[in-house]
Amino acid sequence: MNIVLIGATGFVGAAVLNELLQSGHRVTVLARNPAKLAAREGLTVVAADAQDAAQVAKAAAGHDAVVSAYNPGWENPNIHDEFLKGTRAIIDGTKAAGVRRFLMVGGAGSLFVAPGVQLVDTPQFPAEWKQGALAAREALNWIRTENTLDWTFLSPPILLQPGERTGQYRLGDEAPLMNGEQPGSISVADLSVAIVDELETPRHVQKRFTVAN
């Protein structure tokens, strides 16, 4: 497939880029600074701002799917507003380009830990992640109203970390997957396997899902 990837220089995006290219897909990456990405077979890098819907639309035209691993940076004091601005531009740009398939990587904060209670609203949720998690939850609420996109929203498990690629993972939906009484986890490499699997064989169209090893 011809895939547009946004956020390819980030923790998740870099792993997704590797998995897409190793799986034989052609990838167009949008980057403010294309020099950050080395030349690779199957990779096209376009200088574009993900917060500009028109630039997203121009780059995405003619592609099969758009994958957003967009994150303005956890240490960015404006992460909440910039995450929402970028996500809105990416969604609008995808639609303007006529691309129906859209997969977004969000956070674990919007997963339900009890009826009506999302992880981000619990007292133990880390303060340093809260603004980004609140923005990702708002983005999920937006995307649930989209009926022109074949969207999928992926929430990572509570623990997302570096690690080896096993190619194995468990699927969940609205609640975090657990490992006994401990939070579920996954390597970013295996999260990327789940993303590419969902693109190749869609099972969660217009749905949110989560994964863990």
Side-chain angles (χ1 to χ4, degrees), residues 107-114 119 154-160 168-186 191 194 204 208-213:
S110 59
L111 292 167
F112 287 89
V113 294
L119 183 64
L154 172 59
S155 286
I158 293 174
L159 298 177
L160 175 62
Q168 304 296 315
Y169 56 89
R170 295 179 288 143
L171 289 169
D173 45 34
E174 293 291 324
L177 292 169
M178 305 295 288
N179 184 9
E181 294 186 358
Q182 299 300 312
S185 67
I186 200 168
L191 183 81
H204 302 91
R208 182 255 287 276
F209 77 109
T210 187
V211 292
N213 287 128

Side-chain angles (χ1 to χ4, degrees), residues 121-183:
D121 294 324
T122 60
Q124 62 268 35
F125 194 86
E128 62 268 28
W129 309 117
K130 188 153 190 174
Q131 289 305 309
L134 289 171
R137 175 171 68 181
E138 194 168 336
L140 173 59
N141 291 337
W142 280 352
I143 203 168
R144 286 195 196 277
T145 69
E146 287 291 341
N147 51 26
T148 59
L149 291 176
D150 292 332
W151 62 266
T152 298
F153 188 101
L154 172 59
S155 286
I158 293 174
L159 298 177
L160 175 62
Q161 50 211 5
E164 66 179 20
R165 180 191 187 281
T166 70
Q168 304 296 315
Y169 56 89
R170 295 179 288 143
L171 289 169
D173 45 34
E174 293 291 324
L177 292 169
M178 305 295 288
N179 184 9
E181 294 186 358
Q182 299 300 312

